[in-house]
Amino acid sequence: MAELGAHLTAASAGDDRPSIFEAVAQDSLMAAVKPALQHLVKVLAESNPGRYSFLWRWFDEIYVVLDLLLQQHYLARFSASFSENFYSLKRIPIGDCKQQPLATAGLPKKQHWKSLLLLVLVPYLKGKLEKMVSSLREEDEYSIHPPSSSWKRFYRAFLAAYPFVNMTWEGWFLIQQLCYILGKAQHHSPMLRLAGVRLVRLTAEDIQALEEKLAGATSSHAHSIKTQVRLAVKKALGGIAFSLSTGLSVSVFFLQFLDWWYSSENQETIKSLTALPTPPPPVHLDDGANSALLPKLKTVCPLCRKIRVNATALSTSGFVFCYRCVYNYVKAHQRCPITGYATELQHLVKLYSPES
């Protein structure tokens, strides 16, 4: 039985396909990088809200632009994404050609742009959709919208259908991986099939061609001014992508360690090692024109100036508001109304009293 399992999950000596372990490992590499970078940006935003809060608010958009540059650089130079090249893999078009194109030849334009869009755009849209669903569930739970509105009926139907759509999506990937293990499919992921490519291992000829291309690029020079300007711009963009890719290559294992260190399974250990006393409330308040002032009565909401209803605290600052007031404010401004600390909707903590 063990020999059969090893035969199914490992590629044969003459097969250029990567094993399922290599394919899944390169998929999980970029999935582990984003949460680690997100936590790093979160720490920066909380340590200095005035300077770094914009990074937290626009993290998804900044990340997708950097990811676009990175994947474009690797697809153009190595015919592979960053994580695929990290595991010595490349993409080739689907076809019956007996001789594989070299990695330096690049992908055909159609496969190149489809690969780029599927590598960058699909994860971005999926993440935005998950955030929207989480936000809609909170609004539905606390009745942010009037119960008779047609919008509420629509998004309740959407929330009811989303788990089944997500299950179908994940099931599609699982079935594709099972078919790949059993040798019934050329792709372990439906995204590769949609892009019209498949993954193969780099050959000795590919590695030699990549080394020669790198050596030739450093020794070549342009003659005309127009060509020099074009190559300078191309070199600058390539330098940005190369710096990003080199930094990711060096820090990828450190980022994976950060992802493990701050995982929920490890939180109890962290708390026992880094236990500190409860800090005092913020004393340096932002009394600008757009900041709310603290009322004299502790039971009054600083935003609506009325007795609090559904008391909710912000974990970033500790101040308490009405749930509806602070929800709408944080959703619009992404900061605490009193202190100006960078704040997201997940930082809202509902408070319950024994009477309630």
Side-chain angles (χ1 to χ4, degrees), residues 30 33-34 37 59-68:
M30 290 304 293
V33 168
K34 184 176 181 180
L37 289 176
F59 175 79
D60 290 336
E61 286 70 27
I62 294 173
Y63 181 84
V64 78
V65 171
L66 295 178
D67 192 26
L68 181 67

Side-chain angles (χ1 to χ4, degrees), residues 295-309:
K296 295 181 179 180
L297 294 178
K298 295 183 179 180
T299 57
V300 173
C301 172
L303 290 173
C304 66
R305 299 292 172 172
K306 298 178 182 178
I307 301 298
R308 286 195 302 266
V309 179

Side-chain angles (χ1 to χ4, degrees), residues 42-353:
K42 181 181 177 182
V43 171
L44 289 175
E46 290 177 349
S47 63
N48 195 333
R51 179 175 296 180
Y52 301 115
S53 60
F54 78 96
L55 292 176
W56 177 253
R57 288 197 303 270
W58 299 99
F59 175 79
D60 290 336
E61 286 70 27
I62 294 173
Y63 181 84
V64 78
V65 171
L66 295 178
D67 192 26
L68 181 67
L69 291 174
L70 180 70
Q71 304 299 358
Q72 166 63 19
H73 171 76
Y74 271 86
L75 284 173
R77 282 177 171 262
F78 308 108
S79 300
S81 67
F82 166 75
S83 57
E84 291 162 0
N85 181 260
F86 189 83
Y87 282 92
S88 299
L89 305 175
K90 68 175 181 178
R91 296 183 174 213
I92 62 172
I94 298 175
D96 297 327
C97 56
K98 296 181 180 180
Q99 186 175 3
Q100 297 179 8
L102 294 175
T104 53
L107 293 169
K109 284 189 176 181
K110 183 178 180 181
Q111 282 83 0
H112 176 94
W113 291 111
K114 286 170 71 174
S115 296
L116 186 63
L117 290 176
L118 291 172
L119 280 169
V120 177
L121 194 60
V122 170
Y124 171 75
L125 294 178
K126 188 172 185 294
K128 284 295 185 182
L129 181 62
E130 290 174 351
K131 285 187 177 181
M132 185 182 71
V133 169
S134 177
S135 176
L136 290 177
R137 282 175 177 163
E138 289 184 0
E139 293 180 359
D140 183 62
E141 181 179 357
Y142 292 102
S143 301
I144 300 298
H145 295 286
S148 59
S149 66
S150 57
W151 169 245
K152 183 166 185 176
R153 289 195 296 270
F154 168 77
Y155 74 67
R156 275 192 170 178
F158 173 75
L159 290 178
Y162 179 76
F164 298 99
V165 175
N166 189 54
M167 181 180 66
T168 303
W169 175 268
E170 298 296 338
W172 186 21
F173 278 75
L174 177 60
I175 292 173
Q176 190 71 32
Q177 289 180 0
L178 290 175
C179 292
Y180 184 81
I181 292 174
L182 297 174
K184 304 297 183 182
Q186 292 182 324
H187 324 82
H188 76 283
S189 170
M191 297 296 101
L192 293 173
R193 184 180 183 89
L194 293 176
V197 297
R198 66 186 183 94
L199 288 181
V200 295
R201 292 190 178 94
L202 288 176
T203 61
E205 292 80 7
D206 288 318
I207 297 174
Q208 183 179 358
L210 290 172
E211 292 176 350
E212 292 175 354
K213 183 178 180 180
L214 182 61
T218 56
S219 61
S220 63
H221 60 278
H223 299 284
S224 65
I225 298 178
K226 184 178 179 181
T227 306
Q228 287 181 355
V229 172
R230 190 189 314 120
L231 288 179
V233 174
K234 186 176 180 181
K235 187 176 181 180
L237 294 176
I240 295 173
F242 179 75
S243 300
L244 180 63
S245 64
T246 304
L248 284 176
S249 300
V250 172
S251 60
V252 64
F253 294 108
F254 176 70
L255 291 173
Q256 287 181 327
F257 169 76
L258 283 181
D259 186 42
W260 166 81
W261 180 261
Y262 289 101
S263 63
S264 57
E265 294 82 1
N266 203 35
Q267 284 302 304
E268 294 299 326
T269 305
I270 296 175
K271 289 179 181 178
S272 64
L273 295 176
T274 61
L276 295 174
T278 304
V283 293
H284 300 290
L285 303 183
D286 183 8
D287 295 333
N290 297 326
S291 299
L293 298 177
L294 287 176
K296 295 181 179 180
L297 294 178
K298 295 183 179 180
T299 57
V300 173
C301 172
L303 290 173
C304 66
R305 299 292 172 172
K306 298 178 182 178
I307 301 298
R308 286 195 302 266
V309 179
N310 292 330
T312 302
L314 291 181
S315 61
T316 53
S317 64
F319 290 104
V320 185
F321 311 84
C322 299
Y323 180 84
R324 187 187 296 269
C325 297
V326 72
Y327 182 93
N328 293 328
Y329 187 93
V330 171
K331 187 175 182 180
H333 301 91
Q334 291 84 42
R335 67 182 183 92
C336 171
I338 304 297
T339 63
Y341 291 172
T343 305
E344 294 292 331
L345 292 177
Q346 60 263 30
H347 296 141
L348 274 63
V349 180
K350 191 78 165 58
L351 302 181
Y352 298 94
S353 61

